[in-house]
Amino acid sequence: PAETDADLARLTERLADPSVYADGETARSLIEEYNAARDRADTLAAEWSRLGEELAVVEAEEGATSSPSAPRS
């Protein structure tokens, strides 16, 4: 994730440079690379969120089963 964030920062900085657009192929290539990095970042963020939700469920289930007041079967 940090690598993806660094890629996005680097690409954003390059794309902010007006001289990049003097060469259309370079600009297109950087835009494609930026879009791919953004998609990776979005995918990783969604996965992180999903895993956080799963962890919360597991922790809640463990808390319910280890609680001294919880009935045991």
Side-chain angles (χ1 to χ4, degrees):
E3 183 178 303
T4 300
D5 290 341
D7 288 344
L8 283 172
R10 177 183 57 81
L11 291 164
T12 298
E13 187 174 321
R14 295 254 343 255
L15 288 168
D17 180 357
S19 68
V20 165
Y21 300 93
D23 177 6
E25 185 55 37
T26 298
R28 276 189 291 280
S29 176
L30 285 172
I31 291 168
E32 288 174 8
E33 193 176 344
Y34 174 86
N35 287 337
R38 187 191 60 218
D39 290 346
R40 277 193 312 275
D42 290 347
T43 298
L44 290 170
E47 181 71 3
W48 181 264
S49 179
R50 184 187 66 77
L51 291 171
E53 291 170 5
E54 284 183 26
L55 178 60
V57 168
V58 169
E59 287 176 338
E61 289 172 352
E62 286 180 358
T65 59
S66 65
S67 172
S69 61
R72 299 198 182 246
S73 37

